[in-house]
Amino acid sequence: MIALLTRDLKLAMRAGGGFGLGLAFFLIVVTLVPFGVGPQSDLLSKIAPGILWLGALLACLLSLDRVFALDWEDGSLDLLATSPLPMEGIVTIKALAHWLTTGLPLVLAAPLFGLLLSLPTPGYAPLVLSLLLGTPALSVIGTFGAALTVGLKRGGLLLSLLVLPLYVPTLIFGAEMARRGVEGLDTTTPLLMLAGITCGTIALLPFASAAVLKVNLR
Amino acid sequence: MGLNVSNLTIARGGIKVLEGLNLSLEAGQALVLRGPNGVGKTTLLRTIAGLQPPIEGTIKADPETMVYAGHADGLKPTLTVEENLTFWASVFATSDIDAAIDAFHLDALRTRPAGALSAGQKRRLGLARLLVTGRPIWILDEPTVSLDVDAVRMFADTVRHHLGQGGSALIATHIDLGLPDAGILDVGPYRARAMNPDDFDEAFL
């Protein structure tokens, strides 16, 4: 398991691995939005939490089709499926590797990007916390979508269509928590909901992903 | 520790390809599968390896004793030869990759990224993976594709050594590997009869 994780991280870091793709996309969204809405910093600071969450979500989506596709193409997935590793473990590690290479950098970069959108000072801590709690769910749900579409050539479109509706609850509660943080309101309720969604997906979805992956390998 | 397959029926894409197939493999034995392209050799090997369920029949073998090597070698182009093998060794909870490197003469290529290898060298690396898994039953699908004459001999020697140590191998191949006591199974006669649905609707069920 650890070997699979270190291999995936190593692959992501090397040439063509796609590390930084999500981060670069996030940066592009965040720098372009002020050009799009104009230089009104009060408007920007109002929409900043939503934009930051949307940017993070889309950046996450961008790298999802790589989760299994590369291993499928070169035959590693067949070999992993016949290896001693349980399929549930494989998909969990894949989701974790996706989060470490996409979600975690987004969380760490979010304060900097908040600055670009003139996010009000009280909003930083809730924003980072909401992303930290929410992005693992994005990776786990996304891994499920990737497992569903693994054998398809150019499955990216289908993957986005399948995964986006499943992302909605995470987005609603995540953005709500960040917004309440900006306005200085109590963030407990969205925080609990967000944490609940993440824990639920981590507990249940690996089994579903493993099952569909087994079907797709036939 | 053997492999015993009885009355097996397998399908590919919902269409039966082979039926009523029996085979058994004991420790120290090799069995070569023959048959024309498209007859279902790959499907048979994938079914035995546990990647897909059979339609009918039983496969008696411990999945933890088998290792499968298909058409694709499962190599990561940006990892070096050594890193690729070390990864598979740790997945299969073994640690010795030197024997595998020696058996397929990969020593000079150790630090080369797998993406920079030739097709034959990639295949040698893919076959070297079998040795690092430490599993006794090898399920091999066309292992000699893109190997040159020397490499084929290298591979045959490795298989012979593996059999000598009590391992066994099930190999689908079209060439003669020079394994004198290997059994040969022609899967052609087990080809499934074309389905003749009784009525029109049944064809869609």
Side-chain angles (χ1 to χ4, degrees):
Chain A
M1 297 275 215
I2 305 288
L4 183 60
L5 183 64
T6 48
R7 181 197 73 154
D8 274 10
L9 294 180
K10 215 185 272 178
L11 285 173
M13 295 303 221
R14 291 203 179 161
F19 179 78
L21 176 75
L23 205 57
F25 181 79
F26 196 25
L27 177 67
I28 290 168
V29 169
V30 167
T31 45
L32 288 186
V33 164
F35 292 120
V37 300
Q40 303 136 293
S41 54
D42 55 330
L43 176 63
L44 269 181
S45 56
K46 203 169 267 173
I47 59 171
I51 296 293
L52 286 167
W53 252 94
L54 255 184
L57 188 145
L58 293 176
C60 216
L61 194 66
L62 197 64
S63 52
L64 277 182
D65 59 341
R66 305 176 64 97
V67 172
F68 290 117
L70 298 178
D71 277 348
W72 160 269
E73 278 164 18
D74 64 19
S76 313
L77 205 54
D78 282 347
L79 304 178
L80 282 172
T82 52
S83 78
L85 303 182
M87 199 59 115
E88 289 78 7
I90 295 171
V91 296
T92 309
I93 291 293
K94 284 281 176 187
L96 179 61
H98 180 261
W99 183 72
L100 286 176
T101 53
T102 310
L104 190 60
L106 294 183
V107 175
L108 297 177
L112 178 68
F113 293 171
L115 206 62
L116 293 174
L117 291 176
S118 67
L119 187 76
T121 324
Y124 283 94
L127 173 76
V128 173
L129 188 59
S130 70
L131 282 172
L132 191 64
L133 281 174
T135 45
L138 300 182
S139 288
V140 174
I141 296 172
T143 306
F144 173 63
L148 269 175
T149 54
V150 70
L152 303 174
K153 290 259 183 292
R154 306 281 174 274
L157 172 66
L158 187 58
L159 174 63
S160 327
L161 289 175
L162 286 170
V163 159
L164 276 179
L166 300 175
Y167 274 0
V168 169
T170 315
L171 176 64
I172 289 175
F173 290 111
E176 175 68 7
M177 183 176 161
R179 189 189 63 82
R180 286 195 183 196
V182 168
E183 292 175 4
L185 301 170
D186 181 28
T187 55
T188 316
T189 315
L191 184 141
L192 289 179
M193 292 300 283
L194 193 62
I197 292 168
T198 302
C199 292
T201 51
I202 292 175
L204 296 174
L205 273 181
F207 295 99
S209 310
V212 292
L213 206 52
K214 276 178 198 160
V215 170
N216 269 335
L217 282 180
R218 281 180 191 175
Chain B
M1 201 196 66
L3 166 71
N4 216 320
V5 170
S6 58
N7 195 26
L8 191 72
T9 301
I10 53 173
R12 178 179 165 78
I15 297 166
K16 283 186 194 174
V17 287
L18 293 173
E19 59 187 356
L21 188 129
N22 301 297
L23 66 86
S24 70
L25 197 60
E26 297 300 321
Q29 272 186 346
L31 185 62
V32 173
L33 293 181
R34 291 201 196 276
N37 292 144
V39 76
K41 297 187 295 296
T42 297
T43 311
L44 174 62
L45 294 179
R46 288 178 69 87
T47 310
I48 292 175
L51 284 167
Q52 61 179 68
I55 304 274
E56 250 183 273
T58 52
I59 299 166
K60 271 191 216 128
D62 181 2
E64 298 286 303
T65 61
M66 291 188 284
V67 54
Y68 169 75
H71 294 282
D73 291 313
L75 305 174
K76 289 294 167 192
T78 48
L79 297 184
T80 64
V81 167
E82 198 169 353
E83 283 169 329
N84 268 297
L85 278 181
T86 312
F87 165 67
W88 287 111
S90 40
V91 164
F92 283 86
T94 57
S95 55
D96 180 30
I97 64 162
D98 292 332
I101 294 243
D102 288 343
F104 287 96
H105 299 218
L106 292 165
D107 204 31
L109 305 170
R110 258 176 192 265
T111 54
R112 179 107 46 110
L117 298 180
S118 78
Q121 289 169 333
K122 276 184 193 156
R123 181 98 293 210
R124 265 154 59 193
L125 177 54
L127 293 171
R129 187 186 63 87
L130 295 167
L131 286 171
V132 303
T133 63
R135 289 193 164 183
I137 304 179
W138 290 0
I139 313 252
L140 310 178
D141 195 1
E142 305 271 8
T144 56
V145 170
S146 60
L147 291 183
D148 61 21
V149 181
D150 281 344
V152 169
R153 204 176 308 125
M154 225 182 273
F155 168 66
D157 288 343
T158 311
V159 172
R160 220 171 286 130
H161 181 69
H162 177 65
L163 299 179
Q165 288 186 327
S168 50
L170 183 61
I171 309 171
T173 181
H174 297 286
I175 67 158
D176 185 13
L177 288 173
L179 299 169
D181 21 280
I184 290 182
L185 177 71
D186 186 2
V187 295
Y190 299 100
R191 199 194 284 256
R193 280 166 285 117
M195 271 200 307
N196 281 321
D198 291 337
D199 66 297
F200 182 75
D201 287 348
E202 207 175 288
F204 294 92
L205 295 176

